[in-house]
């Protein structure tokens, strides 16, 4: 069996994404290949973050015990984890589960497209405000599916302009779900609505992070 460094495994609601507001089980894996300026889980990205080593069977069993069908695999960055495909294959055997992977956009999702365990992806695009835009895997935008979501986390005005360029260049709003989300405390949502209206961003959704509204913004396990 494979083993995974799990820093959190908890039940809550999806705070963002197309299943926002629905119950979900979160499996947060340790480690990331990026260092975004606004990262709100930096503690989980370091190599010595406290964790529990779990096999795919143990993770699956814990998920099934909750009785919750939505599963979000997150991090850190899930797609850099050794043997991540083993975990995805195991979870795919449970037909009641709806598995989603939150990925930072720097790793190709192509290897997962032709597999029987292909999950739904929420793909970030790291805008200039993140400091990580140069690390983006642009090929991912050529293979997005209608069930996938592309998320733009917006720090400021330059990020809004860049998100518009990417949405238009890859015709994303017609090919998948698209979300604009403000960095907490950095840009006013009202400004983002104005930008969407002024640029006729149909089929694009503004989304606030529900978990940061319901609980304290820095609270873990929610």
């Amino acid at each position: 069996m494979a083993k995974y460094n799990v820093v959190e495994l908890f039940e809550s609601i999806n705070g963002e994404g197309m299943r926002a507001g629905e119950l979900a089980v979160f499996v947060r894996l340790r480690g990331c290949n990026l260092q975004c300026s606004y990262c709100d889980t930096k503690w989980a990205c370091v190599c010595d973050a406290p964790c529990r080593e779990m096999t795919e069977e143990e993770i699956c069993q814990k998920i099934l015990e909750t009785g919750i069908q939505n599963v979000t695999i997150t991090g850190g960055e899930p797609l850099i984890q050794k043997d991540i495909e083993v975990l995805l294959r195991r979870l795919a055997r449970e037909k009641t589960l709806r598995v989603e992977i939150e990925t930072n956009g720097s790793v190709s999702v192509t290897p997962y497209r032709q597999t029987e365990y292909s999950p739904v992806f929420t793909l970030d695009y790291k805008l200039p405000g993140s400091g990580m835009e140069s690390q983006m895997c642009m090929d991912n935008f050529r293979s997005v599916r209608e069930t996938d979501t592309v998320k733009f986390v917006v720090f400021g005005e330059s990020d809004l302009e860049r998100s518009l360029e990417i949405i238009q260049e890859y015709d994303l709003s017609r090919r998948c779900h698209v979300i604009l989300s403000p960095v907490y405390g950095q840009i006013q949502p009202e400004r983002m609505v104005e930008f969407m209206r002024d640029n006729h961003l149909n089929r694009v959704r503004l989304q606030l992070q529900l978990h940061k509204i319901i609980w304290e913004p820095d609270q873990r396990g929610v």
Side-chain angles (χ1 to χ4, degrees), residues 176-188:
C176 63
H177 304 293
V178 179
I179 288 174
L180 295 179
S181 181
V183 175
Y184 188 82
Q186 291 297 324
I187 186 170
Q188 292 299 316

Side-chain angles (χ1 to χ4, degrees), residues 139-156:
D139 283 344
N140 285 337
F141 292 144
R142 297 184 177 90
S143 65
V144 290
R145 297 174 175 175
E146 62 181 9
T147 54
D148 295 327
T149 300
V150 174
K151 181 177 68 175
F152 297 91
V153 178
V154 177
F155 192 89

